[in-house]
Amino acid sequence: MDWDEEYELLKAGRLPPPGNASSSRPRRPIDNDDDVQMAGPNVQPEDDDEGKFLGRPDAFPEDEPKDTPLDRLIRHWMNERHCPDILPAQEDLLAHLLDHLRRQSEAVQLLRSDPSTSEDEHMRIMLVQTEIERVKFIVRSYVRTRLFKIERYANFVRTNGEIQTRLTAAERDHALRHAKITDQHFVSSVLQGLPETQSHLDDTPLFVPPMITEPDKSRPVFVHALQRCPRITLPDGAKLEMDKGHISLMPYNIVEQLVARGEVEL
Amino acid sequence: MALPQSLRVSVTPPELELVASQQLVEIVPLIAMEKTAFISGAYGPLRPPNKAKVPLWMAVNLKLKKKCHIVAPEWLNVEFLQERVNLETTQPTFSHLPLRFAEIAKVILDVASNDLDNPDKIRSLLKDLREARQAKSRDGLKELDHSELSLPNLCSMEINEIRPYFVQAMNVLTQLVRNPVPDPLR
């Protein structure tokens, strides 16, 4: 899907922006005051220092989690890839980045068409274009992952209000239409020939998984703690407290809250 | 469908490389460049022969056009890696390495091996490291149970390698615990 269409899709799904949109979202590349975003590593500095001295005296400087919008999107993208459930949509983050992409590509267009650009400029233009391609890839992959999960669980989305709060309006629309079309397809190709009792798509027979596929929250995931986490209870009753940098494998439902708060990444 | 089958279970190594390439490395630029605003931040100005910190993808790009020299990160040298290999072979736990060392090391060795001293020795040390750690992950499989498995100091490429297998194994174990099969003889 062309990223322009993605942008339009997201824009259509977004709430109408306030009148002076540019004041509500700072346009600097490094953006630290969106407080709708997850808290992430923006915690009190003493936590980080404590972790560094007590847990890892020789922590590598490049391993510190960074907080630019792009880094945040990368983290959300990886979380979405590994998670069995659909995570809350990062509409603002995506909109901000798509905006930025658009401005960068316009600037590049301008500079390329201008005959007075020098050789050094070509270097910069080339680097900017490379980065544009990288960011486009990440955005595309993120949207595709979400789309795949939504289409797979379309029936579940239709009947469950809680998961709908995590989708954008455009995604909700798409899920409902997809569910409707697949149902119609099944009915017209197979089910209308079957007897009445067997021609429904939402049975819950015994001993077999229900017909509406639900996301499997007990699927295990690898968890990497970005900061010291509060105690969590494991299925066998033990308690676990994770330090910064701890890596562990556990069922998703245990860490669901931590992922939502941004304290761990998958 | 929206996501091809090969990508559904876990991330691919090239994608991990993409994520790892966001990290900053030091370079010695050979050309001058003004401060430019990129999406991930503003980098530059590049004034040879002063060093500068840029993201790895930018450093690789410049290196391929022969416009910079990459300075190896502090952990990518023979002594450090040798020490880690020794630790790895003597102790049963994983030694502490940067989270994405495999991807960064591969990229730098591919592109800038002439900027490193003794790249062949580094390659063979990395191989030894990888084999030792893989052997330990295989042993770790024995401790897998339905609730939790701690793997301190593992790095992202290794996690990715074992992910499909460990996830599926733990899934099965969880299901077994959740639905214990009643004894057929009773």
Side-chain angles (χ1 to χ4, degrees), chain A residues 56 58 60 62-63 81-82 104 123-124 130-131 134 144 148 218 220 222 236 246-249 251, chain B residues 2 7-8 11 15 18 22-23 36-40 57 62 75 96 99 147-151 154 167:
Chain A
R56 337 219 103 205
D58 51 346
F60 299 98
E62 57 238 14
D63 280 348
R81 279 295 276 276
H82 297 133
Q104 295 281 77
M123 196 69 218
R124 292 166 75 187
T130 315
E131 200 196 18
R134 283 171 59 95
R144 274 186 175 220
F148 167 67
S218 59
F222 275 93
D236 59 0
H246 186 102
I247 299 178
S248 186
L249 172 66
Chain B
L7 301 182
R8 284 177 200 172
V11 198
E15 288 176 341
L18 184 81
Q22 276 301 116
Q23 287 193 354
T36 331
F38 291 96
I39 298 178
S40 51
W57 59 268
L62 292 172
W75 50 266
H96 182 46
L99 182 62
S147 71
E148 186 260 352
L149 179 65
S150 235
L151 304 139
L154 220 50
V167 161

Side-chain angles (χ1 to χ4, degrees), chain B residues 158-169:
Chain B
E158 293 164 358
I159 295 179
N160 207 40
E161 274 176 353
I162 65 178
R163 195 193 311 270
Y165 192 64
F166 273 50
V167 161
Q168 189 60 5

